[in-house]
Amino acid sequence: MSCEKLYLTAPEMLECTARVVSCTPNKNDGYDLETDRTPFFPEGGGQLSDIGTVYDPMQGFVPVTHCFEANGTVLHRTGKPFAVGEIVTLKVDAAKRLKYTQQHTGEHLLSHAYDVLFGAENVGFHMAGDVVTIDLDHDLSDEEIEAGEKYANELVWKNAPVRIFNVDASELPNLPLRKKNEKLHGEVRIVEVEDGDHTEMCTCCGTHFMSTAPVGLIRAYAV
C-alpha cells in the first residue's frame, strides 16, 4: 500500500491523523512505523528529515526521531510500537520544518544567483543543523561570493512567487532547468522561482515556500 505524502501536496499541513499500516523492530532497538499518510518529510534530496511525535491515547506522545523512504513509502523511527490498524496523530516539529524549508529554498536562490552571474553550476548540496553548503564547479572570488549573496537577497525582498508542479520526465529536455539529470524517469517534481528573464527552475523533492520572503536573510561565505 502506498503512503499519501502530504509534505508534497500540502506542505503547510504539519499534523494529521493516520492509520498504522505496519510497525516493525529495527536494528537500533526501536521501531519503523508506516502509516497510510504522513506530513513528515523523509530525509532526501539534500534536506534533513522532519522530526516530531506520534500520539495515541494509550502511550501519549512518542517522539519521531527520523524519517526515511523505503520501497515508495515513508517510515517513521520511534521508540515504541504501534498496532496495525490503529489510528494515530502525526505531528511535525514546526520550528525544524521552518528552518529546513528556509535553508532549502534559500539554497535554490543562492545557487541560481551564482549560475546567472558567473555560470557557476551547483554540483552538490549539503544541509546540516544550522549551515548549508553548496559545491560549485569552479571557485569564486570573495567579491563574486558577495555579489551572489546580494542577488539572492534581492529575490527574497521581492517576495518572488515560487511554483511547484509535476511533469513527465520526457518533458524535461524542453524545460530551462538549471541542472540536468538524464537518469530521471516517470513523474518529476519541479520547483520554479520567478525571476524575470532568468527564471530559476530545477527538479527537487524538498519542501519549499510559495514565495521567497519567508526565507529571510541569506549569508554566503567560502568554506
Side-chain angles (χ1 to χ4, degrees):
M1 179 179 179
S2 62
C3 175
E4 182 183 0
K5 300 170 181 176
L6 297 172
Y7 55 87
L8 295 178
T9 58
E12 73 285 354
M13 184 182 294
L14 302 182
E15 182 176 349
C16 75
T17 57
R19 185 175 63 84
V20 175
V21 174
S22 68
C23 189
T24 57
N26 59 45
K27 62 182 180 180
N28 299 309
D29 297 325
Y31 297 86
D32 292 336
L33 171 68
E34 178 186 0
T35 54
D36 63 348
R37 64 180 190 150
T38 183
F40 280 77
F41 177 82
E43 184 174 24
Q47 183 170 328
L48 297 175
S49 155
D50 282 334
I51 61 172
T53 58
V54 186
Y55 173 83
D56 76 4
M58 296 296 293
Q59 302 189 90
F61 293 94
V62 178
V64 174
T65 57
H66 186 70
C67 291
F68 60 98
E69 282 199 86
N71 300 319
T73 192
V74 177
L75 297 179
H76 312 76
R77 187 146 288 170
T78 70
K80 295 181 179 180
F82 294 84
V84 173
E86 179 181 0
I87 302 301
V88 296
T89 300
L90 301 171
K91 186 174 183 179
V92 173
D93 183 313
K96 290 289 186 182
R97 166 67 74 82
L98 174 63
K99 176 185 287 188
Y100 298 159
T101 304
Q102 285 179 315
Q103 290 176 331
H104 204 156
T105 308
E107 177 269 320
H108 278 226
L109 301 183
L110 196 58
S111 295
H112 170 63
Y114 291 132
D115 180 44
V116 169
L117 295 177
F118 309 112
E121 182 179 347
N122 177 330
V123 294
F125 157 52
H126 313 277
M127 183 184 293
D130 296 306
V131 176
V132 170
T133 60
I134 301 171
D135 303 324
L136 301 175
D137 63 353
H138 64 261
D139 292 337
L140 298 178
S141 67
D142 290 342
E143 291 75 16
E144 289 171 331
I145 291 172
E146 184 176 348
E149 175 189 289
K150 182 175 182 291
Y151 189 111
N153 278 307
E154 287 175 350
L155 270 178
V156 173
W157 300 329
K158 289 177 182 176
N159 197 23
V162 177
R163 187 166 73 101
I164 300 174
F165 59 97
N166 295 327
V167 300
D168 187 86
S170 61
E171 299 179 46
L172 295 179
N174 302 320
L175 296 178
L177 296 173
R178 172 165 49 84
K179 296 176 69 174
K180 303 291 185 180
N181 187 341
E182 297 178 356
K183 297 180 180 180
L184 296 174
H185 61 276
E187 191 174 69
V188 180
R189 186 167 180 260
I190 306 293
V191 176
E192 177 186 39
V193 180
E194 187 176 297
D195 184 24
D197 294 334
H198 302 289
T199 295
E200 154 71 358
M201 184 182 293
C202 65
T203 60
C204 185
C205 66
T207 61
H208 293 279
F209 301 115
M210 293 297 98
S211 64
T212 58
V215 170
L217 181 66
I218 295 173
R219 176 73 176 95
Y221 52 92
V223 295

